[in-house]
Amino acid sequence: MNVIETKNISKLYKQADQDIKALNDVSINFKKGEFTAIVGPSGSGKTTFLNTIGGLDSPSSGKVLIDNNEITKLNSNQLIDFRLRNIGFVFQSYNLIPVLTAKENVEFIMLMQGSSKSIRDKRSVELLKSVGLDDQLNRRPNQLSGGQQQRVAVARALASKPKFVLADEPTANLDSSSTSNLLDIMSRLNKKEKMTFIFSTHDQRVIDRANRIITLEDGKILSDINVK
Amino acid sequence: MVTIIKIAWRNVWRNKLRSLIVITSMVLGLWSGLFAVAMSRGINEQRVKSAIDTYLHHVQIHNPSFEYNLDINSVIEDPTCVLEEIENNSLVKAFSSRIIISVMASTAHGTEGVKIIGIESEKETSFSEISQNIVKGNYFSKTKSKPVIIGQKLADNLKLDIKKKLSVTFVDDNGDIQRIKFKVEGIFNTANSIFDGGNIFVKKEDLIDLFKNKYATHEIAILCNNIDDSNILKENLAGLFPKNKVETWKDISPELGSVQEIMVWFFLIFMSIILLALSFGIVNIMLMAVLERKRELGMLMSVGLNKTKVFLMILFETIFISCISLPLGILLSYLMISYYGQVGIDLSIVSKGLEAFGMKSMVYTDLPIDYYFRITILTLFVTLISSLFPARRALKLDPAEAIRSL
Ligand SMILES: Nc1ncnc2c1ncn2[C@@H]1O[C@H](COP(=O)(O)OP(=O)(O)OP(=O)(O)O)[C@@H](O)[C@H]1O
Ligand SMILES: [Mg+2]
């Protein structure tokens, strides 16, 4: 069963001098429980690809199906709701609401989904514990290190019980120990909870942890390797 | 929803300095506006009071044809009956009957057209302020030789001083030219220099010989126990003496009364302008905040915060700023206005200029409670409108675009 299916998606950015094909006829499937790295040189279309399967950006042509729902047919309000209920996001930075504590940040997404207070309380603490931050519950983002902030972001991404988590260069701003720490947490969640992760990266050490590596170049899939 | 409000509230305090600057400017704006209005109301009240005390009084009775051409023959009909009725009316506190003739007053230094007012000097002291405004000489003492009280302004114009002679010339009821010499006994100075330059007071008995009827009178001025009774008394007397014209101070000087009503509009327009200026400041700051937080808002929209909630968040943030400023501004204004309403503000430095408009140098600030309500509603309305702009701007953010700049 495929969690994500893309059918011939292309993304065209019209520019004054020339049109840029950020994605060029990409058809690819993702199965539940995969731990995938998207790699490729700068400008190869990694961000565009992740944004498109995450419903943040719509392709110029082609279809994106998530659990057999064609999200390319949804309007912008439906998409926002779809993202809220189905997709977890971890960005490179600015993941958290600065005026909320770590725990409130994690709870926030559940609140938007309409979970009850007791569930929110329990799950946010559980999640922060699983990313090793149960002693930092009441700190605000600016009182946390970059690595800790990204771990809170992972906890936040999982809070909504998404079908998969998209992470665009989640370790780009982290030092090597924070990077391996974050990867440990992600791969543990992947194994234990069968959570599907798709992340883009430039970092060889991060690529080495993936069990599927997709290489993009000029908006096309150059290679798709299953490591294990 | 509660969380959205919580976030908005905390966002207000994210950039403390900036929020405090906006709040301070709003508080000061409200205060300066309200205080200025309270002061102009105070000035106007003073003006009305001074006009009533010196020449308007509460109710006046004239012959309908007397008007302002001051025809010497236009005396009040049945003066004895009228006076008797007034004497016995319970609404009346004090009254005085006057003879008023338009004359030329001349000295060796010049000639001025003035109104000569023959008064019952004793009765007049009880309600006209003239007797208290004597700056030189006396107010009708026992002197036999036709005394006259003149204003400072006229004294300056005609280079007059006390004990000096002033001759007045006019046309009497037979059409003959009359000339009477008076001796200056006192000089008054009211807050109204136009009044001071155009009116002189003599004893009624010194003019009464001009008339066949020894009760002849052009004007009866009445002071009520309560200024609000003016209208009732007017109706009362007008019904009894239809041949005469009875007017309240508002009828005679409608501009004085209507200033109060105009003031309400002045207040609303004035405050709207101040609020408009303030709201530009708020809109500006909030737009900055939205653009500054583009990535954060993009992130929120990406993870699933819908447009309504983003909109509300920014809306609340703006509203909070004004909800902090509004009570502070109103409280500050209320305290200052109440304080200076009691103590008064001394404007004597500029009072020379003010006197030309009939104002006194002490001003007591005054602002009725309903003005505070109006300003509250107006402020809430203006902030609500101005909060729409930054909130709408936030909606235009494209999440994909915004997070690309992460
Ligand atoms: N909004 C846009 N308008 C025009 N062109 C764009 C826009 N966004 C992306 N592109 C172009 O699309 C191509 C793919 O960009 P994308 O950001 O997906 O690459 P990437 O692989 O994520 O690069 P990087 O490793 O630097 O993050 C690039 O050539 C980029 O210049
Ligand atoms: Mg990228």
Side-chain angles (χ1 to χ4, degrees), chain B residues 142-148 165 181-183 206:
Chain B
K142 300 263 153 44
T143 9
K144 292 268 156 52
S145 61
K146 300 195 172 168
V148 61
K165 286 269 163 53
K181 277 204 155 75
F182 290 94
K183 192 169 158 194
D206 291 338

Side-chain angles (χ1 to χ4, degrees), chain A residues 153-170:
Chain A
V154 170
R156 195 269 319 270
L158 292 172
S160 61
K161 300 204 168 160
K163 297 203 165 71
F164 56 91
V165 174
L166 297 177
D168 194 6
E169 307 199 30

Side-chain angles (χ1 to χ4, degrees), chain B residues 80-116:
Chain B
T80 40
C81 300
V82 176
L83 287 170
E84 198 182 300
E85 166 59 26
I86 295 170
E87 184 91 61
N88 297 321
N89 195 304
S90 60
L91 296 175
V92 176
K93 186 178 165 200
F95 69 96
S96 175
S97 62
R98 299 159 174 173
I99 288 172
I100 300 174
I101 310 168
S102 184
V103 302
M104 296 307 288
S106 45
T107 65
H109 295 282
T111 303
E112 295 266 334
V114 299
K115 265 181 4 180
I116 188 166

Side-chain angles (χ1 to χ4, degrees), chain B residues 55-88:
Chain B
Y55 63 94
L56 273 180
H57 313 291
H58 293 164
V59 175
Q60 293 187 13
I61 305 173
H62 300 107
N63 182 303
S65 65
F66 178 77
E67 290 297 335
Y68 291 94
N69 63 5
L70 309 180
D71 182 356
I72 195 165
N73 290 316
S74 301
V75 289
I76 289 173
E77 306 279 343
D78 305 326
T80 40
C81 300
V82 176
L83 287 170
E84 198 182 300
E85 166 59 26
I86 295 170
E87 184 91 61
N88 297 321

Side-chain angles (χ1 to χ4, degrees), chain A residues 36-50:
Chain A
T36 311
I38 313 277
V39 302
S42 186
S44 55
K46 303 184 292 295
T47 300
T48 309
F49 179 70
L50 289 176

Side-chain angles (χ1 to χ4, degrees), chain B residues 1-265:
Chain B
M1 191 69 172
V2 181
T3 317
I4 296 294
I5 294 174
K6 187 162 85 182
I7 294 175
W9 174 252
R10 289 186 187 173
N11 276 339
V12 170
W13 300 110
R14 238 159 107 171
N15 195 330
K16 283 204 185 65
L17 182 67
R18 194 157 74 188
S19 296
L20 284 177
I21 288 173
V22 187
I23 290 168
T24 312
S25 69
M26 232 180 130
V27 169
L28 289 180
L30 283 172
W31 167 75
S32 61
L34 288 174
F35 197 77
V37 172
M39 204 151 130
S40 36
R41 275 185 61 95
I43 288 173
N44 186 54
E45 215 125 276
Q46 201 67 262
R47 209 164 80 102
V48 172
K49 190 176 172 297
S50 148
I52 286 175
D53 288 348
T54 47
Y55 63 94
L56 273 180
H57 313 291
H58 293 164
V59 175
Q60 293 187 13
I61 305 173
H62 300 107
N63 182 303
S65 65
F66 178 77
E67 290 297 335
Y68 291 94
N69 63 5
L70 309 180
D71 182 356
I72 195 165
N73 290 316
S74 301
V75 289
I76 289 173
E77 306 279 343
D78 305 326
T80 40
C81 300
V82 176
L83 287 170
E84 198 182 300
E85 166 59 26
I86 295 170
E87 184 91 61
N88 297 321
N89 195 304
S90 60
L91 296 175
V92 176
K93 186 178 165 200
F95 69 96
S96 175
S97 62
R98 299 159 174 173
I99 288 172
I100 300 174
I101 310 168
S102 184
V103 302
M104 296 307 288
S106 45
T107 65
H109 295 282
T111 303
E112 295 266 334
V114 299
K115 265 181 4 180
I116 188 166
I117 305 170
I119 56 172
E120 300 170 274
S121 54
E122 245 109 87
K123 269 190 175 173
E124 201 88 15
T125 49
S126 60
F127 68 95
S128 167
E129 256 198 354
I130 299 301
S131 58
Q132 288 141 44
N133 286 324
I134 300 292
V135 289
K136 204 166 181 191
N138 297 308
Y139 175 82
F140 299 116
S141 55
K142 300 263 153 44
T143 9
K144 292 268 156 52
S145 61
K146 300 195 172 168
V148 61
I149 309 275
I150 63 170
Q152 181 73 56
K153 186 75 191 295
L154 189 72
D156 293 345
N157 290 349
L158 297 179
K159 301 214 171 64
L160 272 169
D161 206 339
I162 48 169
K163 299 222 173 80
K164 291 270 171 66
K165 286 269 163 53
L166 173 73
S167 73
V168 303
T169 320
F170 58 94
V171 179
D172 72 9
D173 55 348
N174 295 319
D176 300 327
I177 303 269
Q178 288 266 2
R179 175 188 287 262
I180 308 179
K181 277 204 155 75
F182 290 94
K183 192 169 158 194
V184 177
E185 203 201 348
I187 296 174
F188 64 84
N189 190 3
T190 68
N192 185 339
S193 60
I194 294 169
F195 180 82
D196 293 1
N199 295 277
I200 61 176
F201 293 89
V202 299
K203 286 184 172 176
K204 194 180 175 190
E205 60 230 53
D206 291 338
L207 293 175
I208 199 72
D209 297 341
L210 295 166
F211 302 87
K212 284 155 208 113
N213 182 346
K214 71 177 175 92
Y215 291 105
T217 180
H218 291 112
E219 176 175 288
I220 300 173
I222 306 168
L223 215 54
C224 298
N225 287 312
N226 185 339
I227 188 168
D228 300 328
D229 291 339
S230 308
N231 247 328
I232 305 169
L233 184 68
K234 169 194 161 182
E235 302 293 320
N236 224 323
L237 295 174
L240 288 169
F241 309 104
K243 283 187 192 161
N244 291 314
K245 188 170 185 184
V246 187
E247 293 164 294
T248 65
W249 65 275
K250 266 192 191 169
D251 300 333
I252 299 163
S253 231
E255 74 282 358
L256 275 184
S258 61
V259 167
Q260 300 287 37
E261 282 129 50
I262 293 165
M263 202 75 100
V264 176
W265 290 105

